[in-house]
Amino acid sequence: MRAPLKENEIVDHPRPQLRRAQWLNLDGPWQAMLDDGAVHYEPADVPFDRTIIVPFPPEAAASGVHDRGFRRRVWYRRVVGLDDDLLPSPDERLKLHFGAVNHRARVWINGHFAMQHKGGHGPFSIDVSRYLDGRSMEIVVQAEDDPHDMHKVRGKMDWELEPHSIWYPRTTGIWRTVWLEKVARSHVAKLRWTADVFTWQIRLDADVAHHAPGSTVNVVLRLGDKVLVSDRCMLLEGRLSRLFQLPDPGIDDARAHWMWSPESPQLIDAEITLHAADGLVLDHVVSYTALRTVSVDGDRFLLNSRPYYLRMVLDQGYWPESLMVASAEQLRQDVVLIKRLGFNGVRKHQKSEDPRWLYWCDVMGLCVWAEMPSAYGFSSETVHGVMEEWKELVERDISHPSIVAWVPTNESWGVPELMHDRRQVDFVRAMYHMTKALDGTRPVVGNDGWEMPCGDFVNIHDYHADPEELVARYGTREGLQYTFEHVRPARRRLVIDGFVGTGKPLFLSEFGGIACMDDADPKGWGYSVARDGEELLERYRRLMDAIHRCRPLSGFCYTQLTDTFHEKNGLLTEQRVPKAPIAALAEATRGPDARLHDWYTDPLGHSELWRGKRVPEPAPMGGQAAAIPATPETTHASAGPEDQPGMAAPEPGLRLPSEAA
C-alpha cells in the first residue's frame, strides 16, 4: 500500500480536491490485446498478446505500442496483489477509480462483470469489495471506441487514418490514471465548495456514502497557519450542506490577503473528518477552496467584483510522445510557461484536462475556460451523449477556483446546421441553460466563435492577419456594430435567432495563429507564416498592440500555446521550447498598461503582496510510473529564476494531520 503522502507528492494525486493519505497507483504495465475487429466479447476469450503502459493510449509512443491504426476495442488485464493494507474488512470498502476510458468501458473483477461506463472524458469508480475472494484481484477492461463514429464526443480526434489539418491522432482506451483506495463503509464520497464573497461565506456540500446514525462531521478551514473555522455538526442524513461565515476584514487592502486571483492565488486549506457515534474516525480527507467570485456587469467581465481583462492562450493539451496524457510535472511546467508568457488565463480547447493541471492553475493562478470536447454530427445520440458527459465534467471540476467560465459548444461542432435546424438551436440553448442550472456561479458561453443564439459572453474567432483590420472591426463601438451586421469571419454570421450580442462582454476568443516553421514539414501550416523567431516576435508585437487598442474587448485568447502536429502556430514548439525570447513575448502579451501595475515585476504575474507572504515551494515530483522524462529542450524552455525554490506559489494543504497517517 502507498505510504502517507509526503509534502512534495501532493501534486501527483489524481483527485487533488478529495485526497486521502493512502492510495495505490495502478499505472504501469498491463496485459493488452488490440481487438480491431471487435470480435471478442468475454475476457476468457481474449488472447492477451502484448503489454501496454497505462495510462498512455496505444496510439502514443509512450504506451510501448505506438499503433495509430483504426480499432474498435482494446482489452486490458492486470492482477493486483492485496496485502493487509488493501484487503477491506466487513466495515470497509475497496474502490477502483478510472480517470477516463475512451469511449465505453466494461469492467470485470475476478471474472465477474462489475460495471459499464459510457463517455470517454469523465471519471468513474467501482466498489470492488463484493468481488474479492482472496489476496489477488484480476481487473479486465474492455474499451470500445468506434473511430468512425461522428456522433460521439470526440474533441480533436481524427476520423482519418493519419492526422490532418486541425485534427490529431486518436486516443483509444485508458488514458487517465487508474488507482485503488480503501475507505470505510461510511465515507465522504463527494465534495463541492462554493464561495460567496458578497457575504464572506464558504459553502460546503458533501455527500456521505452509507450514512451511519449518530455520525458527525468536523470541518477545519485554514488560511496559512491561521484556523478560520473548526466546526462539528451532526450528520442527519447522507448529505451535508453547511455555510461557514468567515471574519470579514471589510476594507479591500485587508481582503486582498484572503482572495484568489491570478495575481494572488490564495487558497484556503480544508480538512473534513467523519466520526462515528462513539467518536471513532471513519474517514479523513484533505481538500482546498478559495474566496473568489466571477460575474458579468454590462459589457465587462468581473473577477472579485472588479473589471478584469483576460489575456488567454488556446491550449490543445497534447504532447508528441504521449498525446493527451502528461505527467504531473509536465502539467505543472505548462502552467509555468503560460504564466511566463504573460497570460493570466487559458482556454483548454476541446479537451477535459487532468485535474492535476487544474490543481496547478489553482495554485499558481490562471483563469481557465473549461470546454466540452465536441461531437461532430447531430442526432439524438449526440444530444444524450454530450449532455451526460458534460454533466460529469462540470460536476468533477466545479470546485476549482481557477475555472471562471464554461464552454459547452464550440464553432457549431455537433450542430452544423444551426442556421436551418430549430432542434440544433434548441440543443445549444439547452446546453447553456443546463450548465447554468448545474452551476449558477459562473458565466456560460453559448457557441464559441460564431452563430451564437445565447450566452453570457460574445466570443468571436477571427484570424485576419492584418492588425489594423482587427482594430477597424473591434476597436470602437461603431466599428463593432458594423462588424455584427456586415462582417462574417470564417464566412459565418456571428449572432443568430434573435440574440443581439451587444451589451455583453466581448472576447476575441481565437485569433493570431502565426506559424513559424521551415520547409521540412510540407504539411505544416498556420493562419499566417513568419520565417523565423525574429519575424514571429515582430508580428506578434504588432498584433498584440492592435488588440490592446481595442477598448470594447474584455479580453482575448491567442492561438496557440504550442505547435500541435501539423499546426505550427504555437508560441512554443511541441517540446515546449519558446520560438522567440519568452520575456519579449510576455511584454507584448501584457501590453502597455501593464507598466501601471506593480504585480508585473514578477515573471509569473504575481503581485508584490503575494510575493511577500508566500513560502518556498517543495521540489515537485518527477511524475507517475512510466511518465516521459523532461527532455533537455523542455528543461531549457522552462528554466528560470522564477522556477527555483522560494520563487513559485505555495501549495495548499501540504501538512496532513496526524489522523491521515
Side-chain angles (χ1 to χ4, degrees), residues 226-289:
K226 180 179 181 180
V227 175
L228 304 179
V229 170
S230 182
D231 177 85
R232 176 168 290 193
C233 61
M234 182 74 71
L235 190 64
L236 299 179
E237 54 185 18
R239 183 174 180 83
L240 170 70
S241 294
R242 196 76 165 170
L243 278 171
F244 302 110
Q245 182 68 56
L246 303 180
D248 184 1
I251 194 76
D252 281 357
D253 281 0
R255 276 186 163 198
H257 289 272
W258 295 63
M259 299 179 70
W260 186 96
S261 71
E263 294 74 39
S264 182
Q266 180 63 60
L267 299 177
I268 296 173
D269 301 332
E271 301 167 20
I272 299 94
T273 308
L274 178 64
H275 296 266
D278 61 1
L280 178 70
V281 173
L282 298 174
D283 195 15
H284 180 89
V285 298
V286 175
S287 184
Y288 64 90
T289 182

Side-chain angles (χ1 to χ4, degrees), residues 14-78:
R15 192 181 54 199
Q17 286 192 301
L18 205 169
R19 307 187 300 265
R20 294 181 175 89
Q22 291 185 313
W23 58 285
L24 181 67
N25 191 332
L26 298 185
D27 290 350
W30 288 53
Q31 292 177 285
M33 187 262 174
L34 306 183
D35 189 3
D36 294 355
V39 299
H40 298 291
Y41 296 92
E42 298 295 331
D45 302 329
V46 178
F48 291 96
D49 58 359
R50 67 185 67 217
T51 297
I52 189 168
I53 307 300
V54 169
F56 304 108
E59 293 86 357
S63 71
V65 178
H66 201 197
D67 184 340
R68 294 182 179 174
F70 292 128
R71 58 186 42 86
R72 289 288 300 276
R73 290 179 184 158
V74 180
W75 290 83
Y76 299 81
R77 179 180 182 270
R78 178 161 177 175

Side-chain angles (χ1 to χ4, degrees), residues 488-502:
R488 297 189 180 188
R491 298 180 294 178
R492 303 287 192 116
R493 286 183 59 183
L494 295 178
V495 291
I496 63 170
D497 202 51
F499 181 62
V500 177
T502 55

Side-chain angles (χ1 to χ4, degrees), residues 227-535:
V227 175
L228 304 179
V229 170
S230 182
D231 177 85
R232 176 168 290 193
C233 61
M234 182 74 71
L235 190 64
L236 299 179
E237 54 185 18
R239 183 174 180 83
L240 170 70
S241 294
R242 196 76 165 170
L243 278 171
F244 302 110
Q245 182 68 56
L246 303 180
D248 184 1
I251 194 76
D252 281 357
D253 281 0
R255 276 186 163 198
H257 289 272
W258 295 63
M259 299 179 70
W260 186 96
S261 71
E263 294 74 39
S264 182
Q266 180 63 60
L267 299 177
I268 296 173
D269 301 332
E271 301 167 20
I272 299 94
T273 308
L274 178 64
H275 296 266
D278 61 1
L280 178 70
V281 173
L282 298 174
D283 195 15
H284 180 89
V285 298
V286 175
S287 184
Y288 64 90
T289 182
L291 279 167
R292 190 273 294 129
T293 182
V294 291
S295 57
V296 168
D297 183 13
D299 63 354
R300 290 298 146 192
F301 169 78
L302 305 185
L303 178 67
N304 297 329
S305 302
R306 301 290 185 270
Y308 192 84
Y309 190 82
L310 284 172
R311 305 184 309 273
M312 298 186 294
V313 66
L314 194 75
D315 180 8
Q316 309 280 5
Y318 276 76
W319 287 261
E321 295 298 312
S322 54
L323 303 183
M324 292 204 298
V325 185
S327 70
E329 177 58 14
Q330 287 173 315
L331 294 168
R332 173 188 178 274
Q333 289 295 338
D334 269 15
V335 175
V336 171
L337 285 166
I338 292 169
K339 299 238 1 157
R340 289 183 62 202
L341 284 164
F343 299 101
N344 59 19
V346 56
R347 178 181 167 209
K348 182 64 70 166
H349 189 40
Q350 286 297 297
K351 182 188 179 189
S352 70
E353 192 51 276
D354 193 310
R356 296 171 301 167
W357 178 82
L358 288 170
Y359 167 86
W360 282 115
C361 293
D362 295 337
V363 168
M364 299 183 115
L366 270 179
C367 290
V368 176
W369 281 16
E371 183 173 327
M372 175 66 188
S374 297
Y376 299 164
F378 180 77
S379 64
S380 60
E381 179 187 350
T382 304
V383 172
H384 286 289
V386 171
M387 278 191 157
E388 289 303 314
E389 203 159 341
W390 182 235
K391 284 190 290 184
E392 284 187 349
L393 295 177
V394 171
E395 291 290 340
R396 187 196 74 172
D397 297 337
I398 200 166
S399 292
H400 285 281
S402 57
I403 295 179
V404 300
W406 302 108
V407 186
T409 310
N410 171 72
E411 287 189 349
S412 306
W413 292 8
V415 282
E417 296 298 332
L418 273 179
M419 297 294 297
H420 309 105
D421 188 342
R422 183 73 232 172
R423 297 174 306 155
Q424 297 186 26
V425 173
D426 289 340
F427 179 46
V428 172
R429 287 182 178 272
M431 288 288 288
Y432 167 81
H433 288 293
M434 182 183 74
T435 309
K436 299 287 283 187
L438 291 171
D439 178 16
T441 70
R442 293 176 175 92
V444 179
V445 174
N447 181 25
D448 203 278
W450 48 67
E451 295 176 347
M452 290 162 270
C454 58
D456 297 322
F457 300 154
V458 173
N459 299 355
I460 299 175
H461 298 178
D462 191 338
Y463 285 100
H464 202 291
D466 183 358
E468 292 307 315
E469 178 60 27
L470 294 178
V471 173
R473 293 179 180 182
Y474 310 108
T476 64
R477 305 289 177 187
E478 296 75 19
L480 186 59
Q481 187 64 42
Y482 181 88
T483 298
F484 273 108
E485 294 175 0
H486 301 289
V487 178
R488 297 189 180 188
R491 298 180 294 178
R492 303 287 192 116
R493 286 183 59 183
L494 295 178
V495 291
I496 63 170
D497 202 51
F499 181 62
V500 177
T502 55
K504 294 181 178 291
L506 173 67
F507 291 91
L508 198 55
S509 55
E510 286 189 30
F511 75 105
I514 306 170
C516 180
M517 59 186 184
D518 55 30
D519 297 329
D521 183 1
K523 295 183 179 179
W525 68 278
Y527 293 93
S528 62
V529 179
R531 293 165 296 180
D532 52 32
E534 184 176 349
E535 182 181 350

Side-chain angles (χ1 to χ4, degrees), residues 101-286:
V101 181
N102 205 14
H103 166 70
R104 181 171 63 183
R106 295 184 177 94
V107 183
W108 289 261
I109 305 296
N110 287 337
H112 301 279
F113 179 73
M115 185 177 185
Q116 174 175 289
H117 178 266
K118 187 175 182 180
H121 298 263
F124 62 97
S125 301
I126 307 171
D127 182 347
V128 300
S129 310
R130 73 188 71 177
Y131 307 111
L132 303 180
D133 55 10
R135 287 190 170 270
S136 68
M137 179 175 64
E138 179 195 51
I139 306 168
V140 175
V141 180
Q142 179 204 78
E144 186 165 356
D145 186 17
D146 184 350
H148 303 296
D149 183 356
M150 308 297 269
H151 296 261
K152 69 178 182 183
V153 174
R154 302 184 63 104
K156 284 295 194 85
M157 289 185 278
D158 208 327
W159 63 97
E160 295 187 5
L161 187 61
E162 296 295 333
H164 75 288
S165 185
I166 63 171
W167 316 108
Y168 313 142
R170 290 165 294 286
T171 294
T172 304
I174 298 172
W175 65 284
R176 286 265 161 79
T177 290
V178 185
W179 52 294
L180 281 170
E181 182 181 45
K182 189 170 72 170
V183 297
R185 182 178 185 274
S186 182
H187 62 275
V188 178
K190 184 187 294 186
L191 296 176
R192 175 175 177 176
W193 298 101
T194 308
D196 186 347
V197 173
F198 305 117
T199 60
W200 213 245
Q201 293 177 330
I202 288 179
R203 174 175 175 144
L204 169 63
D205 292 287
D207 290 350
V208 176
H210 304 290
H211 157 246
S215 57
T216 59
V217 176
N218 191 72
V219 180
V220 177
L221 301 181
R222 289 187 177 91
L223 187 72
D225 294 329
K226 180 179 181 180
V227 175
L228 304 179
V229 170
S230 182
D231 177 85
R232 176 168 290 193
C233 61
M234 182 74 71
L235 190 64
L236 299 179
E237 54 185 18
R239 183 174 180 83
L240 170 70
S241 294
R242 196 76 165 170
L243 278 171
F244 302 110
Q245 182 68 56
L246 303 180
D248 184 1
I251 194 76
D252 281 357
D253 281 0
R255 276 186 163 198
H257 289 272
W258 295 63
M259 299 179 70
W260 186 96
S261 71
E263 294 74 39
S264 182
Q266 180 63 60
L267 299 177
I268 296 173
D269 301 332
E271 301 167 20
I272 299 94
T273 308
L274 178 64
H275 296 266
D278 61 1
L280 178 70
V281 173
L282 298 174
D283 195 15
H284 180 89
V285 298
V286 175

